[in-house]
Each structure stands twice: as structure tokens, then as C-alpha cells.
Amino acid sequence: MKIKNILIILCFITGLNTAFANEGWINILKAGGNNKGILCTKAIQGAIDKASTNDGGGTVYFPAGNYLTGALKLKSNITIYLDAGAVLKFSENFDDYLPYVEMRYEGIMMKTFSPLFYAKDAENISIKGRGVIDGQGKVWWNEVYRIETAKGPIPLTKWQKMWDEQNPAIGYEPYYKRTMDKKFFRPSFFQVLNCKNILIEGVTFQNSPFWTINPEFCENITITGITINNPHSPNTDGINPSSCKNVHISNCHISVGDDCITIKSGRDADGRKYGVATENVTITNCTMLSGHGGVVIGSEMSGGIKKITISNCVFDGTDRGIRLKSARGRGGVVEDIRVDNIVMKNIKENAIIMDLFYDKSSKEEPVSERTPIFRNIHISNLTGTDVKKAGSIVGISEMPVQNISFSNINIQSEDGFTLNTTDNVEFHDVKVTTKMGASFEIENSNNLILDNVATMKPIANTPLIKLTDVSNMMINNNFPMFATDIFLEADGAKTKGIYLKNNVFNNVKKVVNKGAALNAAAIVE
């Protein structure tokens, strides 16, 4: 009986060993690599190539230790797995990112340095584990600073000359000339083109040369449980899906030198040429600290952006919270956006901003494929404290921002909401407590509802609501609970059809303060 049991155990162990052997795990230390910080790009790339040729693919495994590599080309059916204690650093030598490859830089296709992780036309790619991946981006940042701060012309580097040779005819709008004239385009940390089934889980990315996680023209992307930390660095966005479909971002912690999460789809004519929207995106359970914006849509949105949900997120210390930005000439439609259950604190500028006038110098033009559109955007259950400005919505004269709603919002800010050139905007159960100015200041807009809006601390001789050239508006179900000097101030020859219904103004000294240009019949009480 004992011999039989021993044989069974041996068979079991042999089976396990066979199973593990067939899993396709390649320990990089057994494949010519080292964990002493000595450059081993060839060994790592060789392991990736070998893993991709196995039936069912394979995993390149990094045990604890320090690794150094140049650019890596990811293949189909492979996993990069970094164990706890593993630190994979990328080379500071620009030559380790040659030859130039086709990639997308800020929404324009070109040939330039290879992204640190790069793939094209591949599928089933994963980066997993509890290790750290360090882009050592400072050398890239310093080179940009050197070019930008030069006083007068400076000699072109060999990389700038290479860029000229390999990009003979790239079109772009005049406003983008300053960027293109640099001829130096830093690589994204992770950029994959036209790939499917991407998983990034658990790892920490830090010190990216440029944008960090940047899938382009991809489908079925899951990014979960990662940390991104890019301190004091230019253009080091966190997660930037662009022209992608079916994207899931969850449980991430992001602190970067630019926007934390940004949704894009190409720039201007180049973006419209490909015409691939970013759609079906969920962002949930993320925390965002340092960054120009928490979740941003645009400004490169020329291919369109639609069907986006953002929920259960915390923004603490970002310059802005939710930001949508575009301008004339970009084109594209941003629509079907839902934002829910958000907490913001210490927002240095706007909690919410929707801006179609991002290029302030642009002039009105006929509606065409160049005209950007923001519509069908709904924000609910948001709390903000220590905010500089509650929100700003700015349309362009030929295309107002359309069909927007705010529900169950409570913001404490220095300044309130401003709306200019909007159509069909609603506020329901919204409290905006300001230190200066009206809580709601609306100009050049039509078709609005303000339903149960309030401030917790009315300001002396300052209206809660201020209107200029506004038409067809319902202000209803309002009950100012605290002593209020002025509830509504209205002016402008175009102001008309302002209805005050079902309100209780017992605590209000003056319900309406009428401006000199206001028509006598403009307000109906």
C-alpha cells in the first residue's frame, strides 16, 4: 500500500512539473538576461519572440532584481510578468529606441522613436505583476527643454535629421507648427497599434518619457490595479486610449505631469482621415492626484468619442476634474457621456469644464467636418470642496454645447458655474456655494432649466443666478433657505421667456433685479 501511495504521489508531482513546463514560462535569468542592471535588451526581446512562437503563447518572467533594456517589441500571445521586487528600467540612450517606427504622436501618425513597449497588428498581450517599470524619462524631458529654451537657431541632432528624412510630407494646422518644428518626438511608454485583447494589471509605471499607457486603434483593453507616477514632468499623461473600442479602466492610482486619464481619437485632418472613434469606455474606482486634468476628453477628438462612463472616482489635487476640450478645425463628435458618483477636493481650476473654444484665436466658420460637437453629456452625484471654480461650459457660435444635465451636485468653490453659448442645459438639485459672484452665470444660451438650485452661503448684494441674453428658461422649485439679497439678476435685449414657477421666496429681499436692457415682458412670475 505504501509503495502504491508513493507511486501515486510521484505521478502527481511529475504531472505538475509537466503542466508547469507546458505553461510556457521563460525565466529571463535563464534566457541570457541579468538582474544586475546591465543592458539586456537582446535577451529580453529573444524571450518575447520565443514565447510568442509557443503553442498558446508564453510568459516572460522577471524575478526580483534590477533589469535594464531598450525598446521592446511585444508579440501576440505573450505576457510580461514582473514579480514583486523586480524593477525594469529603460535605457537613457536614445539610440536604443531606433530604428524609427510608425506611431501616433499627439494624434498625428508619423515615424519616430519606438515606444518603450511597442506592438503592431498583434493580439493577446499582457503586462502583469507587482513589479515596477521605470521609463527613466528625465533625459527625454531635458532634451525637450533644451530645444524649447534655445535662444535662436541650434544645430539639428542626428535624430532630428532622421525625423526629417522619414517624414517628408506630414500635414498639420498652423497652430501646431511650434510642436512640429521641434522635430523631436518622445516615445510613449506603452503604445500598441491596431491590436486586440490587451491586459495591463498590477504593475507600477513611473517616469514616462511622454504619454504612459497609449493604445491606438485597439479593441478590448483592460487596465486595472496599476499605479502611474510621473512627477514634475512635461506631457506625461497617465492613460490615453485613442481611437479604441471597448476599454475598461479600473482601480488605478494616478499622479502625473499632465492629464491623468485622457480619451482621444486623432488630431484635425489626420484624425478625420482615419475616422476611428473611441467608444465603449468605462472608467471606475480610480484615484487621481497631481495632474492638469482628472479625466479629460480631447483635445484631439477629430475621429469622435462616444459612449463613455466615468464613476466612483476621487480627484484630489488635480488642476481640473472633468474636462472636455476642443476647438474649431478639430471636427468630431463627443456624445453619450455619463459621469456619476465623483468626489473632488483641492481642484486648482475648474471642477467641470466643457470648452469648444480651446483655440481662443479661432474665428467663426460655416458648419462642416471641421466643426467640433459636444452633446448628450450628463453629470450626477458629485461633491467638490476647496474648488477654485465650479464649472465652465463654452460653446462656439455656430455650434453651442447641447443637451447637458447636472443632477445632485454639491460644490464649494471660490467661483460658480458660467455658461456661454449653450442649448438645452439643465441643473437639478445643485448647490454651488461660492466666495464671490453668482453661483450660476449664464450668457448667450437657450432652453434651460434650473430646478432646486441653491447656495449655502448667500453673498451680500450678489444674485444666486445671473442671466444675460438668455431665452426660454424655467426656474422652478427653488427655496432659498438662508437670507438672500437677490435671487435673480437679468439683463440683455435678447433675454426673453424666463419663467419663475413654484418657488418660495420668503427669505429673499429682491426676487428679480432687472437690467436696463431687459424687456419688460422677459420674465414671467
Side-chain angles (χ1 to χ4, degrees), residues 55-73:
D55 289 339
T59 298
V60 180
Y61 171 63
F62 291 79
N66 293 305
Y67 303 86
L68 182 64
T69 183
L72 297 173
K73 186 175 183 180

Side-chain angles (χ1 to χ4, degrees), residues 448-476:
L448 300 109
I449 295 176
L450 267 65
D451 169 37
N452 188 26
V453 298
T455 176
M456 300 304 291
K457 293 182 179 179
I459 301 172
N461 301 312
T462 301
L464 173 68
I465 303 165
K466 184 176 181 180
L467 309 179
T468 306
D469 292 329
V470 172
S471 68
N472 199 31
M473 180 177 191
M474 174 66 78
I475 302 173
N476 65 325

Side-chain angles (χ1 to χ4, degrees), residues 220-381:
N220 301 335
I221 302 155
T222 299
I223 302 166
T224 185
I226 71 170
T227 298
I228 300 176
N229 187 22
N230 297 324
H232 311 298
S233 47
N235 312 109
T236 53
D237 294 23
I239 301 172
N240 290 24
S242 179
S243 298
C244 291
K245 185 176 182 180
N246 303 331
V247 181
H248 310 280
I249 302 169
S250 62
N251 307 311
C252 295
H253 181 80
I254 304 171
S255 183
V256 293
D258 206 326
D259 296 326
C260 294
I261 297 175
T262 306
I263 303 169
K264 300 176 180 288
S265 63
R267 180 184 293 272
D268 303 331
D270 195 69
R272 295 194 298 272
K273 176 180 71 175
Y274 290 94
V276 179
T278 294
E279 58 184 312
N280 302 345
V281 178
T282 63
I283 300 168
T284 190
N285 298 347
C286 294
T287 56
M288 289 160 244
L289 303 182
S290 177
H292 292 334
V295 177
V296 177
I297 294 175
S299 60
E300 303 91 329
M301 39 70 69
S302 301
I305 294 168
K306 56 187 176 180
K307 291 177 286 184
I308 312 294
T309 69
I310 303 161
S311 64
N312 304 332
C313 292
V314 175
F315 307 100
D316 189 354
T318 57
D319 292 352
R320 304 164 189 88
I322 302 295
R323 185 183 192 190
L324 285 69
K325 54 182 179 177
S326 189
R328 292 181 175 107
R330 304 287 168 98
V333 180
V334 172
E335 62 184 349
D336 302 335
I337 313 296
R338 284 276 178 182
V339 180
D340 183 66
N341 205 28
I342 304 295
V343 174
M344 299 186 189
K345 186 174 183 180
N346 189 26
I347 304 301
K348 298 176 179 63
E349 295 189 31
N350 293 67
I352 300 163
I353 183 168
M354 304 177 197
D355 186 7
L356 282 179
F357 215 73
Y358 190 53
D359 180 0
K360 307 302 183 191
S361 64
S362 65
K363 297 180 180 179
E364 183 175 349
E365 57 184 64
V367 174
S368 68
E369 65 174 5
R370 290 170 46 86
T371 307
I373 300 172
F374 288 171
R375 65 188 180 203
N376 199 19
I377 301 162
H378 307 285
I379 299 175
S380 58
N381 301 313

Side-chain angles (χ1 to χ4, degrees), residues 90-310:
F90 279 81
S91 169
E92 295 178 304
N93 185 345
F94 298 162
D95 287 340
D96 290 329
Y97 302 88
L98 302 178
Y100 280 4
V101 299
E102 184 182 33
M103 58 89 73
R104 206 181 206 185
Y105 184 91
E106 289 190 342
I108 294 179
M109 296 300 298
M110 65 175 66
K111 289 185 177 180
T112 188
F113 293 106
S114 172
L116 282 55
F117 289 110
Y118 177 70
K120 186 178 180 183
D121 303 323
E123 61 182 11
N124 305 327
I125 294 171
S126 299
I127 298 178
K128 302 170 66 176
R130 302 305 301 177
V132 174
I133 309 175
D134 190 338
Q136 299 203 107
K138 190 173 182 179
V139 292
W140 298 94
W141 311 336
N142 287 344
E143 179 66 4
V144 169
Y145 293 144
R146 184 188 73 84
I147 295 169
E148 287 184 340
T149 59
K151 296 179 179 179
I154 55 175
L156 293 179
T157 65
K158 68 176 183 179
W159 304 291
Q160 290 172 305
K161 292 176 182 177
M162 288 172 59
W163 188 89
D164 261 341
E165 292 168 359
Q166 296 191 36
N167 297 279
I170 290 182
Y172 55 89
E173 294 285 337
Y175 76 89
Y176 201 58
K177 184 176 185 300
R178 179 174 173 271
T179 296
M180 299 299 288
D181 282 350
K182 295 175 192 173
K183 307 179 191 295
F184 183 80
F185 300 91
R186 292 166 285 158
S188 297
F189 209 138
F190 174 96
Q191 186 180 108
V192 291
L193 292 174
N194 195 35
C195 293
K196 295 181 179 179
N197 305 330
I198 309 298
L199 171 63
I200 304 176
E201 180 178 19
V203 294
T204 294
F205 291 87
Q206 62 189 33
N207 301 317
S208 179
F210 184 58
W211 294 354
T212 308
I213 308 298
N214 179 213
E216 299 274 358
F217 305 105
C218 294
E219 292 187 21
N220 301 335
I221 302 155
T222 299
I223 302 166
T224 185
I226 71 170
T227 298
I228 300 176
N229 187 22
N230 297 324
H232 311 298
S233 47
N235 312 109
T236 53
D237 294 23
I239 301 172
N240 290 24
S242 179
S243 298
C244 291
K245 185 176 182 180
N246 303 331
V247 181
H248 310 280
I249 302 169
S250 62
N251 307 311
C252 295
H253 181 80
I254 304 171
S255 183
V256 293
D258 206 326
D259 296 326
C260 294
I261 297 175
T262 306
I263 303 169
K264 300 176 180 288
S265 63
R267 180 184 293 272
D268 303 331
D270 195 69
R272 295 194 298 272
K273 176 180 71 175
Y274 290 94
V276 179
T278 294
E279 58 184 312
N280 302 345
V281 178
T282 63
I283 300 168
T284 190
N285 298 347
C286 294
T287 56
M288 289 160 244
L289 303 182
S290 177
H292 292 334
V295 177
V296 177
I297 294 175
S299 60
E300 303 91 329
M301 39 70 69
S302 301
I305 294 168
K306 56 187 176 180
K307 291 177 286 184
I308 312 294
T309 69
I310 303 161

